[in-house]
Amino acid sequence: MLINHDTRRTLDSVVDLLNTDLDGLPALRGFAGRHEINGIGALGEQDLAAVRSIRDRLTQVFDAQDAATAAGLLNALVAEAGTTPRLTDHDGHPWHVHYFAPGASLAEHLAADGGMALSFLLVEGELERLRRCAAPGCGRAFVDLSRNRSRRYCDGRTCGNRLHVAAYRARRREAGD
């Protein structure tokens, strides 16, 4: 499956949003900064509430049991965001498409671009790539972009490695080493 750079970045921001504890405006500003989301103006409490709402709706898409449910959720999300596709080459980035209107709020930006990126996965029949970490007690969201769709953990260096080390130690104990 081919995913262009811009869609990949947007999927990364959706995953980060789902996994970020938006416990206040500093966390929201940090999120926007990490993902170089600009043109959104000063962020206030209303933005925090709106982004939390978008996060909840994107979580529903991630956890949808079938494509029809996900499509309904995405259609509503993208329609309410008032998508306005336009080509742009801002900040030294090559030409790409933004789906949010100029002057959109952070929540509208996330709903439009994030909704469209997830829609591209649905259209390609790739919703099963939206996953939750298999490590006990984790459950963080991730998008499995591996060739063979075999990724099971949100981060192989933490959750995956921790489980592999535990399994290795258990095997050693069983073998009497």
Side-chain angles (χ1 to χ4, degrees):
M1 178 178 83
L2 261 136
I3 296 178
N4 69 33
H5 173 74
D6 203 47
T7 301
R8 173 74 184 258
R9 284 184 57 159
T10 301
L11 290 171
D12 289 345
S13 70
V14 167
V15 166
D16 188 29
L17 178 63
L18 269 56
N19 293 330
T20 297
D21 182 21
L22 294 175
D23 55 359
L25 285 174
L28 184 62
R29 289 183 189 109
F31 171 83
R34 278 193 308 280
H35 296 285
E36 300 175 354
I37 301 171
N38 50 31
I40 52 174
L43 297 172
E45 291 295 328
Q46 71 280 3
D47 295 298
L48 181 60
V51 170
R52 284 176 176 159
S53 175
I54 295 302
R55 180 183 60 186
D56 292 345
R57 294 177 73 187
L58 289 169
T59 297
Q60 291 174 352
V61 172
F62 240 78
D63 296 336
Q65 298 300 309
D66 55 64
T69 301
L73 294 165
L74 287 167
N75 282 336
L77 184 68
V78 170
E80 291 169 26
T83 57
T84 308
R86 63 188 170 89
L87 290 165
T88 182
D89 66 344
H90 64 88
D91 300 325
H93 296 288
W95 286 104
H96 59 283
V97 179
H98 280 183
Y99 295 95
F100 54 91
S105 70
L106 177 57
E108 291 165 334
H109 176 114
L110 295 169
D113 273 4
M116 290 303 300
L118 293 172
S119 295
F120 295 146
L121 287 179
L122 185 147
V123 166
E124 291 297 321
E126 300 285 357
L127 271 184
E128 72 274 0
R129 290 183 182 272
L130 303 180
R131 302 223 172 125
R132 295 288 179 172
C133 184
C138 182
R140 290 172 56 90
F142 68 93
V143 178
D144 179 5
L145 295 177
S146 66
R147 278 187 158 175
N148 62 359
R149 298 175 182 92
S150 62
R151 188 171 160 198
R152 297 181 54 218
Y153 307 108
C154 62
D155 183 355
R157 289 171 287 180
T158 53
C159 287
N161 192 41
R162 187 178 70 237
L163 288 174
H164 291 119
V165 168
Y168 170 76
R169 288 179 179 159
R171 287 191 303 274
R172 298 240 356 206
R173 277 192 304 273
E174 287 176 10
D177 291 346

